[in-house]
C-alpha cells in the first residue's frame, strides 16, 4: 500500500485509507457541489445516468464499494483523498482506463489504440471543497495520482482536461476533469486535442 504523498500542507492518501465520512465531506452537499454524481458519471452508460435509473443513494453506495473507504488492507480503490492540515478537502478519481465505460468518443479521435489495455490508467475527475480552492490541492492530487498509478503497476496515465479560452473563466462544474495546467505541472504532455476545449494528456510511467 503506498504511503501518504505529501506537499508542504496537503496530504494525499488512497481512498481506502480515508474514512467514508471524510470522502462524503468532499463530495456531499456541503462539499464540492450538490449534483448527486458521486463520481459515477464515467461509470454509467446511457440511460443509467438518469437519476431514476440509478438513484443518488445507489451512486453513493457504489462509490463507497469502489473506494473501499476505511479498509486500508483493500487491494483496490478508485481514487485519492486530499487533506489540508487534517481537514478532508479534495478527491481525485484514478483507475485503469477500462473502469470508465462512458469516457465517450472524444479521447479516441485520431488514435489507433487498444481501448481494453488495463495497463493504461486515467484520471477522470477532481473535486475540491468550495472553501479550499486555489490552494494547490488539485495540483497535489495530480502529482499523487502519477505516483499512485505507477505503484499500482500502470504503464501509462492519461487525463482529459479542459482548455479555458484566454481571458475567460470556466465554471468549476466544467473543470471537474481538471485544467490543462494541472496535468502539465505533474509531467503530463498533450498528445491530442479532440475538441477546441478538451485535450488528451499523457505520461509514461
Amino acid at each position: 500500500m503506498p504511503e501518504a504523498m505529501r506537499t508542504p500542507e496537503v496530504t494525499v492518501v488512497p481512498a481506502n485509507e480515508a474514512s467514508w465520512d471524510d470522502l462524503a465531506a468532499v463530495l456531499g452537499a456541503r462539499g464540492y457541489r450538490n449534483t448527486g454524481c458521486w463520481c459515477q458519471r464515467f461509470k454509467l452508460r446511457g440511460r443509467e445516468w438518469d437519476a431514476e435509473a440509478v438513484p443518488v443513494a445507489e451512486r453513493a453506495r457504489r462509490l463507497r464499494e469502489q473506494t473501499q473507504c476505511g479498509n486500508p488492507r483493500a487491494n483496490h480503490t478508485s481514487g485519492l483523498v486530499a487533506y489540508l492540515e487534517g481537514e478532508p478537502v479534495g478527491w481525485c478519481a484514478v483507475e485503469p482506463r477500462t473502469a470508465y465505460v462512458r469516457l465517450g468518443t472524444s479521447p479516441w479521435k485520431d488514435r489507433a489504440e487498444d481501448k481494453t489495455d488495463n495497463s493504461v490508467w486515467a484520471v477522470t475527475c477532481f473535486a475540491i471543497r468550495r472553501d479550499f480552492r486555489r490552494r494547490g490541492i488539485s495540483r497535489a492530487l495530480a502529482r499523487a495520482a502519477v505516483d499512485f498509478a505507477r505503484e499500482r503497476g500502470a504503464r501509462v496515465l492519461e487525463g482529459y482536461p479542459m482548455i479555458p479560452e484566454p481571458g475567460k473563466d470556466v465554471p468549476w462544474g466544467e473543470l471537474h476533469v481538471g485544467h490543462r495546467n494541472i496535468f502539465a505541472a505533474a509531467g503530463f504532455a498533450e498528445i491530442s486535442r479532440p475538441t477546441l476545449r478538451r485535450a488528451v494528456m499523457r505520461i509514461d510511467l
Side-chain angles (χ1 to χ4, degrees):
M1 196 65 62
E3 296 180 358
M5 294 156 275
R6 296 181 180 274
T7 66
E9 295 183 329
V10 181
T11 301
V12 180
V13 301
N16 63 298
E17 296 180 12
S19 72
W20 174 248
D21 286 345
D22 284 354
L23 182 52
V26 176
L27 295 177
R30 296 182 181 180
Y32 171 50
R33 56 192 179 106
N34 188 19
T35 63
C37 175
W38 291 99
C39 219
Q40 298 303 295
R41 179 170 178 262
F42 292 107
K43 295 198 169 201
L44 298 174
R45 294 183 184 276
R47 295 179 182 178
E48 285 185 314
W49 182 239
D50 188 321
E52 295 182 1
V54 183
V56 171
E58 171 61 14
R59 296 178 188 182
R61 187 202 67 77
R62 291 186 186 189
L63 180 64
R64 188 168 189 172
E65 180 178 308
Q66 291 155 9
T67 58
Q68 291 290 299
C69 280
N71 183 9
R73 295 186 177 181
N75 57 17
H76 174 79
T77 191
S78 61
L80 305 168
V81 178
Y83 294 83
L84 184 65
E85 297 179 349
E87 182 80 6
V89 295
W91 154 260
C92 168
V94 52
E95 285 187 278
R97 192 175 57 189
T98 52
Y100 303 111
V101 298
R102 206 183 178 197
L103 272 176
T105 58
S106 290
W108 307 105
K109 185 178 179 181
D110 299 324
R111 298 173 67 194
E113 188 171 333
D114 181 4
K115 298 180 183 181
T116 66
D117 186 349
N118 286 321
S119 70
V120 180
W121 284 40
V123 176
T124 57
C125 182
F126 294 88
I128 310 299
R129 287 172 61 183
R130 290 185 182 91
D131 295 341
F132 296 92
R133 293 172 186 165
R134 301 185 185 278
R135 301 195 193 184
I137 295 165
S138 293
R139 288 176 180 257
L141 282 164
R143 290 193 299 267
V146 172
D147 293 336
F148 176 75
R150 180 186 293 117
E151 292 172 11
R152 298 275 174 131
R155 176 178 59 84
V156 172
L157 182 61
E158 288 188 349
Y160 316 101
M162 291 293 296
I163 307 171
E165 295 181 48
K168 292 186 179 181
D169 289 332
V170 178
W172 186 265
E174 291 187 35
L175 278 176
H176 68 280
V177 292
H179 190 293
R180 185 187 184 284
N181 293 346
I182 292 170
F183 287 94
F188 289 72
E190 183 176 320
I191 63 168
S192 71
R193 191 169 292 196
T195 70
L196 291 176
R197 302 181 64 210
R198 183 65 62 89
V200 176
M201 307 282 287
R202 188 176 177 111
I203 184 171
D204 292 329
L205 305 176

